[in-house]
Amino acid sequence: MKKIILIFLGFSVFSFAQDLKKETEKKQFPAEVQSENLKEVLEIKKFQKELNEEYKNEKESPLRGDNFKKFKEHPFFAINLDYYVKAKLVKTENAKPFEIPTSSGKTKKYIEYGKAYFKVNGKEQVLTVFQSLSLLENPEYKDYLFLPFRDLTNGKETYGGGRYLDLRIPKNDELIIDFNKAYHPYCAYNAFDYNCPIAPEENRLKIPIEAGVKYEDIWFEH
């Protein structure tokens, strides 16, 4: 009889633990995020954590003086996997190096890698992805893609000059673009020490991308 009671108690504890885990996940992640998307959500959470840590690290942060001391964390849009899209990447043939204007009035050399075709909320979109010539000299970044873009949140919820995404060349023609990982250039926070490429006109989306980092006064403690 004792053995049966112990087995029953063990099952009850296990069942309670499972229910508690489910409740914790519900509180931690948005209601629209299903369990099959947990990997993507955790990657976004990791991105947010690492971005905040970077800005709190005096050796890595673009912030200076009081701005560095007051910084607590970035504001982010709520995680929304509608902005996690699979794009078709069409490589640009015979692309030639060119110069992208920067925030300081200077230029930086890039080469067009290709066009990414995708849908957001059912609407067709296209963005151009680039490679930095200076980074191509480093074997570690030979598959690095740079995606600067602008959208209808600029100058409101996000920095007026646009945002960036860091991507890698895929093994096939499917490129994953997760706008939940969109971040601001350093010059959005420190225009004196940094020289940032300006998102080209061809990469101006006529829709709001309500995902990724936001640009509000609340990222400082008043």
Side-chain angles (χ1 to χ4, degrees), residues 62 100-108 110 146 148 159 161-162 164 184-191 193-199:
I100 292 182
T102 68
S103 55
S104 69
K106 298 179 181 179
T107 60
K108 289 188 176 182
Y110 284 82
F146 175 56
Y159 175 59
Y164 297 165
H184 291 125
Y186 279 172
C187 57
Y189 309 100
N190 181 351
D193 298 329
Y194 294 95
N195 180 28
C196 310
I198 298 172

Side-chain angles (χ1 to χ4, degrees), residues 4-56:
I4 294 175
I5 292 173
L6 288 173
I7 292 174
F8 175 77
L9 287 173
F11 177 79
S12 298
V13 171
F14 175 79
S15 178
F16 174 77
Q18 291 296 101
D19 290 340
L20 181 60
K21 181 181 179 183
K22 290 178 181 178
E23 286 301 314
T24 301
E25 290 179 350
K26 285 181 181 178
K27 292 178 181 178
Q28 186 175 2
F29 304 120
E32 67 271 15
V33 175
Q34 304 298 318
S35 59
E36 61 265 25
N37 301 125
L38 189 57
K39 178 182 177 182
E40 288 80 7
V41 173
L42 290 175
E43 287 180 353
I44 295 166
K45 290 283 187 179
K46 180 183 178 184
F47 160 79
Q48 294 179 348
K49 181 175 181 291
E50 290 179 348
L51 187 65
N52 284 329
E53 288 176 348
E54 177 186 351
Y55 275 64
K56 291 177 182 178

Side-chain angles (χ1 to χ4, degrees), residues 1 10 14 39 53 62 67 69 106 113 139 159 161 177 180 219:
M1 184 66 179
F14 175 79
K39 178 182 177 182
E53 288 176 348
N67 287 346
K69 294 176 182 178
K106 298 179 181 179
Y113 184 83
Y159 175 59
I177 301 177
N180 292 282
W219 69 286

Side-chain angles (χ1 to χ4, degrees), residues 15-222:
S15 178
F16 174 77
Q18 291 296 101
D19 290 340
L20 181 60
K21 181 181 179 183
K22 290 178 181 178
E23 286 301 314
T24 301
E25 290 179 350
K26 285 181 181 178
K27 292 178 181 178
Q28 186 175 2
F29 304 120
E32 67 271 15
V33 175
Q34 304 298 318
S35 59
E36 61 265 25
N37 301 125
L38 189 57
K39 178 182 177 182
E40 288 80 7
V41 173
L42 290 175
E43 287 180 353
I44 295 166
K45 290 283 187 179
K46 180 183 178 184
F47 160 79
Q48 294 179 348
K49 181 175 181 291
E50 290 179 348
L51 187 65
N52 284 329
E53 288 176 348
E54 177 186 351
Y55 275 64
K56 291 177 182 178
N57 186 328
E58 193 169 6
K59 294 181 179 180
E60 299 179 357
S61 179
L63 303 175
R64 300 290 182 266
D66 288 342
N67 287 346
F68 175 76
K69 294 176 182 178
K70 294 178 181 178
F71 177 78
K72 296 301 178 182
E73 62 181 10
H74 289 280
F76 294 94
F77 286 101
I79 293 174
N80 187 343
L81 295 185
D82 286 341
Y83 294 103
Y84 177 96
V85 300
K86 295 179 180 179
K88 181 179 180 180
L89 180 60
V90 178
K91 189 173 181 180
T92 302
E93 299 296 335
N94 303 315
K96 296 181 180 180
F98 70 103
E99 296 185 347
I100 292 182
T102 68
S103 55
S104 69
K106 298 179 181 179
T107 60
K108 289 188 176 182
K109 291 184 177 181
Y110 284 82
I111 189 167
E112 181 177 313
Y113 184 83
K115 304 282 188 183
Y117 297 86
F118 59 96
K119 288 184 179 181
V120 171
N121 296 327
K123 295 183 178 180
E124 297 281 354
Q125 308 292 337
V126 59
L127 288 171
T128 304
V129 291
F130 306 94
Q131 285 185 301
S132 165
L133 292 188
S134 61
L135 285 183
L136 281 176
E137 297 174 359
N138 186 336
E140 184 179 348
Y141 295 100
K142 64 180 181 180
D143 64 342
Y144 175 86
L145 294 176
F146 175 56
L147 176 53
F149 72 96
R150 285 184 276 180
D151 66 275
L152 296 185
T153 68
N154 297 159
K156 301 173 184 177
E157 296 97 339
T158 63
Y159 175 59
R163 290 179 289 169
Y164 297 165
L165 282 167
D166 295 332
L167 306 173
R168 298 285 180 175
I169 297 174
K171 294 180 180 180
N172 48 38
D173 65 350
E174 183 179 273
L175 180 67
I176 300 297
I177 301 177
D178 189 355
F179 288 104
N180 292 282
K181 296 179 181 178
Y183 65 94
H184 291 125
Y186 279 172
C187 57
Y189 309 100
N190 181 351
F192 297 100
D193 298 329
Y194 294 95
N195 180 28
C196 310
I198 298 172
E201 190 62 31
E202 65 189 283
N203 275 10
R204 184 190 292 270
L205 298 174
K206 296 180 180 180
I207 59 171
I209 299 295
E210 297 174 322
V213 71
K214 299 172 76 174
Y215 191 69
E216 299 176 347
D217 289 340
I218 61 172
W219 69 286
F220 284 142
E221 181 184 48
H222 297 285

